[in-house]
Amino acid sequence: KELTMRITNIITAALIAIIVAALFAFLFYPYSELSSMQEKRDHAVHCLYAIIASVIGLAATAYIAARN
């Protein structure tokens, strides 16, 4: 049980780091260097996908931790 908690804590920390990195990449990316609106949109959507996937991973990790 202790090993499971340690693993879920590591996974949680990694997912939170991904969320923070994607948020900073979204907020502070130099969009003016991208030539087209499509490239700007693609970058924003990739950041959004990373955040959504990490939040889903956090929810699954919380569910697993609550079961144990």
Side-chain angles (χ1 to χ4, degrees):
K1 184 173 181 173
E2 185 177 319
L3 178 65
T4 305
M5 287 305 293
R6 185 174 297 160
I7 291 171
T8 55
N9 287 343
I10 291 169
I11 292 171
T12 300
L15 291 172
I16 289 173
I18 291 170
I19 290 172
V20 170
L23 191 59
F24 275 102
F26 175 74
L27 293 175
F28 300 113
Y29 190 82
Y31 287 99
S32 60
E33 293 182 8
L34 296 177
S35 60
S36 69
M37 283 301 289
Q38 183 67 32
E39 290 176 344
K40 294 175 185 179
R41 181 186 121 356
D42 288 344
H43 174 76
V45 167
H46 287 124
C47 292
L48 182 65
Y49 285 159
I51 291 171
I52 290 172
S54 296
V55 168
I56 291 170
L58 279 174
T61 304
Y63 176 74
I64 291 169
R67 279 190 20 200
N68 292 332

